[in-house]
Amino acid sequence: MFNKDVGSRPEARMTTAPVEAALSIISAGMKITGDVETSGVLKVDGEINGSVTGARQVLLGRGGAVRGNIVAGEIVIGGHVEGSVAAAERLELQASATVSGDIETRSIVVLEGARINGLVRMIEATAARSEPLRIARA
């Protein structure tokens, strides 16, 4: 009873399904100092003083601010970014967006009123999948 191999128990052999990352929210009035890394969706209405990496999607609200680099699959910016932005798939700059830094993306949408103070580099679809995005440190 107590000497059975752990690997022989059915519950030890079960594999767990991959867990889809949840939505993370940095709400208005909240301030984070340090880098943020997530594999899911990150909604920012507050302030991050550090880089954001690994997210599937970053949603920066009108009142949100990031002072650091953002690297994600898809990025929608309505607030302010002081740093480089690298979107592997798509970047959307809403009318209230301000980016002070270089941008690298496969696809970009810029609404009238958005401001970009930096270089914009469009990457090929194959490059977005095969090579990592190169951004400068903020």
Side-chain angles (χ1 to χ4, degrees):
M1 178 169 154
F2 294 109
N3 292 337
K4 286 187 179 180
D5 183 23
V6 174
S8 66
R9 292 193 311 232
E11 61 273 11
R13 289 189 306 250
M14 291 175 40
T15 59
T16 58
V19 177
E20 185 169 325
L23 170 67
S24 300
I25 300 174
I26 312 286
S27 61
M30 185 174 187
K31 181 179 180 179
I32 297 207
T33 301
D35 295 342
V36 176
E37 185 173 339
T38 181
S39 60
V41 177
L42 178 64
K43 170 77 169 126
V44 181
D45 287 322
E47 183 179 327
I48 297 176
N49 291 315
S51 294
V52 176
T53 57
R56 180 171 38 96
Q57 185 178 53
V58 174
L59 307 169
L60 181 61
R62 188 176 275 174
V66 174
R67 288 173 186 79
N69 299 328
I70 302 175
V71 180
E74 181 179 344
I75 304 169
V76 178
I77 298 175
H80 305 286
V81 177
E82 293 178 21
S84 297
V85 176
E89 294 299 323
R90 180 178 181 274
L91 172 65
E92 179 179 324
L93 298 176
Q94 298 177 340
S96 55
T98 302
V99 176
S100 296
D102 294 344
I103 292 173
E104 185 174 283
T105 186
R106 187 176 71 84
S107 173
I108 189 168
V109 175
V110 181
L111 299 178
E112 184 177 353
R115 298 180 59 98
I116 301 170
N117 298 309
L119 300 173
V120 176
R121 178 174 176 245
M122 302 300 293
I123 56 176
E124 298 296 324
T126 55
R129 292 184 189 95
S130 65
E131 64 183 57
L133 298 171
R134 297 171 306 276
I135 58 175
R137 288 284 293 167

